[in-house]
Amino acid sequence: TGMPIRRAVLSLHVLRIPFHIVALAADVYVGWWVLKNCEPHTWPGHLAMLTHWGHLLQTIYLAFVLLQDFKWLLCSGSGKPKQLPKPQNTFTETFFSICFILSSMIGFLFWGLYFYDRELILPESLDATYPSHINMHQHGWTAVIMWIELLVRHHHNLTAGLEYGANLGVGLIYLLWTCVIAYMDRWPYPFQHELDLIASIIFYLCCLTTTTIWTTVKRGVCSYLYGAHHITAADVANGVHKKIKKAE
């Protein structure tokens, strides 16, 4: 039952290069606008927010894969390739997985808190300096971009240990980073000032659980669309990914 859907998704891969150009341009514009117009009032400024970490990493990822696209076009010697290349290494897939999970988590957590009580996450007083179209991009369109990326570029899952470990590792690093920020100055988000130690621990555990859930969702969707193959550094070194490519 999944074959027609897989064929439809594969037909979208020809759109990956224009999509990467447009998505990267949007990310760069919003990042430039934020740096120019949103003055950070506390240490360490924009680096305190998971939103900005996710946005920055996504921008770097899009630039990286766009360079891969252009490199492949130059090497192919044709502007209309018969089949666009599939993932080449573990680094690219790990980078994608991290960006995908971060953007999905940011959207899920932000809008969940926003619709419950926006003062907990984005006080109304900030509307004048942080307009809705910038908010929508950083907390909504970034996730949409990564879901579209899942459709327009062929992805294989990493091994479970590597993928869960990478995403939970990034999440844990950021949570520790918020503790450093709180020790040096203040919590990055307004609602965190209302939490005691136990509530903070519960919140952090919920964040790590959410990371695990989104990683599982990503792996399930990726397996459904592209098969259950897993790639590792050893696979790439031994050319296994080429055998998988031929088999498909």
Side-chain angles (χ1 to χ4, degrees):
T1 58
M3 289 306 297
I5 295 178
R6 290 181 185 176
R7 293 193 192 98
V9 168
L10 290 173
S11 69
L12 295 175
H13 287 191
V14 296
L15 301 175
R16 64 184 257 169
I17 295 178
F19 167 72
H20 287 156
I21 293 173
V22 173
L24 178 60
D27 265 6
V28 169
Y29 166 74
V30 172
W32 169 81
W33 193 97
V34 169
L35 289 175
K36 181 180 179 182
N37 296 282
C38 297
E39 293 292 334
H41 299 293
T42 61
W43 183 92
H46 299 306
L47 294 180
M49 305 294 183
L50 183 62
T51 297
H52 296 298
W53 280 108
H55 186 179
L56 175 62
L57 288 174
Q58 180 174 291
T59 303
I60 296 172
Y61 170 81
L62 290 171
F64 178 74
V65 294
L66 185 58
L67 287 175
Q68 286 187 329
D69 293 338
F70 286 138
K71 179 182 177 181
W72 186 84
L73 282 177
L74 290 174
C75 293
S76 70
S78 172
K80 296 182 180 180
K82 293 181 179 179
Q83 185 175 8
L84 289 165
K86 297 182 181 181
Q88 298 178 10
N89 53 55
T90 306
F91 173 79
T92 305
E93 287 305 300
T94 305
F95 202 172
F96 167 74
S97 181
I98 290 171
C99 292
F100 182 93
I101 301 308
L102 276 178
S103 64
S104 298
M105 272 192 59
I106 289 168
F108 176 78
L109 293 173
F110 176 85
W111 292 108
L113 286 169
Y114 184 93
F115 287 117
Y116 174 73
D117 183 356
R118 68 166 297 179
E119 295 299 316
L120 296 174
I121 191 72
L122 184 65
E124 192 172 354
S125 59
L126 295 179
D127 286 351
T129 56
Y130 190 65
S132 59
H133 71 282
I134 299 296
N135 176 33
M136 281 297 300
H137 183 90
Q138 289 198 306
H139 297 110
W141 287 115
T142 52
V144 173
I145 286 172
M146 295 314 293
W147 277 90
I148 295 176
E149 165 69 3
L150 184 62
L151 299 177
V152 301
R153 181 182 172 91
H154 196 128
H155 292 278
H156 285 306
N157 281 324
L158 301 160
T159 57
L162 177 57
E163 189 152 20
Y164 283 104
N167 286 304
L168 288 172
V170 170
L172 185 59
I173 289 171
Y174 178 74
L175 294 181
L176 293 175
W177 174 236
T178 63
C179 294
V180 173
I181 296 171
Y183 178 77
M184 297 289 291
D185 186 11
R186 61 194 302 178
W187 292 107
Y189 296 100
F191 72 89
Q192 289 183 288
H193 296 280
E194 308 298 326
L195 303 179
D196 57 20
L197 178 61
I198 300 300
S200 295
I201 292 174
I202 293 174
F203 171 70
Y204 284 169
L205 289 175
C206 288
C207 289
L208 294 176
T209 301
T210 304
T211 301
T212 303
I213 293 172
W214 276 112
T215 303
T216 303
V217 171
K218 179 264 175 187
R219 289 176 63 81
V221 173
C222 196
S223 294
Y224 181 76
L225 294 177
Y226 301 114
H229 305 298
H230 298 154
I231 61 170
T232 65
D235 290 337
V236 175
N238 295 327
V240 173
H241 66 300
K242 295 180 181 179
K243 296 179 182 178
I244 293 173
K245 181 176 178 180
K246 290 180 180 179
E248 294 178 342

